[in-house]
Amino acid sequence: MSTQYRRSTMSYAIVGFGKIGQALAHAFARKNIEVTVASRRQPEALTPQARAIGPTVVARSLRAALKADTIILAVPFGEHREVAKALPSWEGKTVIDATNAFPVPEELDGLPSSAFVAKAFTGAKLVKGFNHLIAATLAADPIVEGGHRVVFLSSDDEDAIAPVAALAKQLGFAPVELGKLDEGGALVHAHGGTWGQLIFQDLFKKEQ
């Protein structure tokens, strides 16, 4: 088996190695892009599954994973604070929030869940993304019959979306920008006991 892979100028980590974390790891492995994976468990516990996904998927400690430039948050929503506490400052980091809060807890007090998450990651640029598809769909090849599976991105930081959109394209997806978290981004957040209108919508975009 070839172990050749692309080292990007950006470094990536997936925190959380459940169904969504593993689905995203498959997306990186498919394109031979190196990604670190970590969870609350010791890296040794994740290594067999990481190796089974592909040679570019490397299990490391949470501390090591958080050295990456871009961190995809794939933990259950309630665990985001524990991840945030692992670094004293998130300056210079991009956090892609792939979590979903459902049903919406009262503590959000009307905020989109990603805006609530952003408050915990002080200094980070936060982008909501890769959250609207079920794990099995996210893990599948996003290129079908000349079309690319859509991923929706939203952020309150205008500069943050472009590099995440570039990553989505590198992974074979078609990024669609929704604007700010409480504007277009509301379509990929839950509201009370109902999902946003774009959640679970498996859409494709043809090559331009």
Side-chain angles (χ1 to χ4, degrees):
M1 180 189 295
S2 170
T3 56
Q4 290 297 309
Y5 55 82
R6 301 204 312 248
R7 281 187 181 277
S8 171
T9 51
M10 297 290 288
S11 52
Y12 303 104
I14 299 166
V15 175
F17 205 49
K19 288 181 180 178
I20 293 294
Q22 289 180 33
L24 287 163
H26 276 282
F28 278 85
R30 191 177 292 114
K31 295 294 184 177
N32 291 319
I33 301 169
E34 184 177 19
V35 65
T36 300
V37 295
S39 76
R40 289 177 301 176
R41 293 184 289 159
Q42 293 299 312
E44 296 77 18
L46 311 183
T47 296
Q49 183 62 42
R51 282 184 179 154
I53 293 172
T56 64
V57 181
V58 183
R60 293 194 173 100
S61 67
L62 180 60
R63 184 181 293 270
L66 295 184
K67 291 179 181 176
D69 303 306
T70 300
I71 290 116
I72 304 176
L73 197 61
V75 296
F77 176 77
E79 294 177 17
H80 73 271
R81 288 189 195 87
E82 289 305 309
V83 178
K85 287 176 188 171
L87 281 184
S89 170
W90 288 80
E91 289 288 342
K93 304 283 187 188
T94 296
V95 174
I96 301 173
D97 180 19
T99 69
N100 286 307
F102 188 83
V104 175
E106 286 184 14
E107 63 177 331
L108 266 59
D109 198 25
L111 279 178
S113 62
S114 288
F116 189 83
V117 169
K119 294 200 293 185
F121 291 86
T122 310
K125 293 180 176 181
L126 186 132
V127 178
K128 181 78 162 180
F130 297 99
N131 72 295
H132 85 283
L133 296 169
I134 63 170
T137 302
L138 198 57
D141 191 334
I143 302 171
V144 178
E145 295 177 6
H148 295 252
R149 179 168 278 118
V150 166
V151 291
F152 296 107
L153 305 176
S154 56
S155 179
D156 289 343
D157 188 324
E158 288 180 15
D159 298 336
I161 290 186
V164 177
L167 170 64
K169 283 184 179 177
Q170 215 180 345
L171 295 176
F173 293 94
V176 172
E177 298 179 23
L178 298 177
K180 294 194 171 183
L181 297 173
D182 64 351
E183 294 172 359
L187 297 169
V188 288
H189 282 83
H191 311 273
T194 58
W195 290 107
Q197 290 165 290
L198 293 178
I199 298 275
F200 308 131
Q201 296 294 316
D202 188 14
L203 307 174
F204 287 83
K205 192 174 179 182
K206 289 289 186 183
E207 295 273 24
Q208 294 300 318

